């Protein structure tokens, strides 16, 4: 588990015409336009993980509405275990991208079965199998759509341009109808 820290609520204290008492020495100190806060522990904690990804649960809901298969969703989550910051490349380890063969070994299936799942994910716009943006020596790699899952906050503009945002089918139909009737 990550590092757990107790959250505190800070309240600013009005310091105009106030004195601060040192309870050890009894010394009084005049406070003149100083910034002073009282900090109290709350009943909440924050958990800081070293390695995590962001999952957009709104997009996840849309994928479920669009009929993504549970096995394909499971594969997507498994692939997100190690993705490259900024470029969303699916990595086998810290420096080597996944191939269909290494993904098959990871989940204990045949490369043909894994390729069928990857093709379905690609057709749904969830992943792309394309030339690496961040490392030209890698050749073609699997990249996860950053609208759904990403690692870190800063992303390459090129990765974001590679994918369309995930939308619900009825939203697309409504948008097309609005433009065709005008």
């Amino acid at each position: 588990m990550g590092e757990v820290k107790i959250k505190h609520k800070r309240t600013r204290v009005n310091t105009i015409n106030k004195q601060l008492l040192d309870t050890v020495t009894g010394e009084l100190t005049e406070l003149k336009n100083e910034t002073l806060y009282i900090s109290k522990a709350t009943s909440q904690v924050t958990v800081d993980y070293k390695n995590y990804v962001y999952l957009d649960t709104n997009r996840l809901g849309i994928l479920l509405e669009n009929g993504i298969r549970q096995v394909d969703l499971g594969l997507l989550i498994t692939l997100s275990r190690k993705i490259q910051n900024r470029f969303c490349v699916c990595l086998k380890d810290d420096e080597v991208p996944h191939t269909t063969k290494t993904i098959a070994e990871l989940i204990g299936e045949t490369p043909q079965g894994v390729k069928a799942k990857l093709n379905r994910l690609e057709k749904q716009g969830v992943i792309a199998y394309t030339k690496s943006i961040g490392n030209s020596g890698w050749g073609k790699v699997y990249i996860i759509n950053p609208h759904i899952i990403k690692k870190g906050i800063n992303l390459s503009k090129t990765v974001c341009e590679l994918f369309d945002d995930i939308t619900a089918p009825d939203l697309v139909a409504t948008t097309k109808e609005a433009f065709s009737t005008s």
Side-chain angles (χ1 to χ4, degrees), residues 118-135:
L118 292 169
N119 287 343
R120 285 194 300 265
L121 289 172
E122 191 168 9
K123 186 177 179 183
Q124 291 177 304
V126 175
I127 64 168
Y129 184 61
T130 187
K131 185 178 176 187
S132 174
I133 300 163
N135 187 334

Side-chain angles (χ1 to χ4, degrees), residues 49-62:
Y49 292 95
K50 299 270 186 239
N51 191 14
Y52 59 92
V53 296
Y54 294 94
L55 170 65
D56 186 324
T57 55
N58 293 331
R59 299 305 178 279
L60 175 61
I62 292 170

Side-chain angles (χ1 to χ4, degrees), residues 70-100:
Q70 293 296 319
V71 294
D72 297 343
L73 185 57
L75 177 58
L76 176 65
I77 299 300
T78 300
L79 291 176
S80 73
R81 188 177 133 237
K82 286 192 177 185
I83 56 176
Q84 183 185 34
N85 284 358
R86 294 186 36 228
F87 299 105
C88 298
V89 174
C90 300
L91 298 175
K92 177 182 174 190
D93 57 40
D94 292 337
E95 297 179 16
V96 178
H98 265 299
T99 64
T100 304

Side-chain angles (χ1 to χ4, degrees), residues 32-43:
K32 297 177 184 151
N33 297 327
E34 311 263 346
T35 303
L36 184 66
Y37 291 94
I38 296 174
S39 179
K40 291 184 180 180
T42 67
S43 61

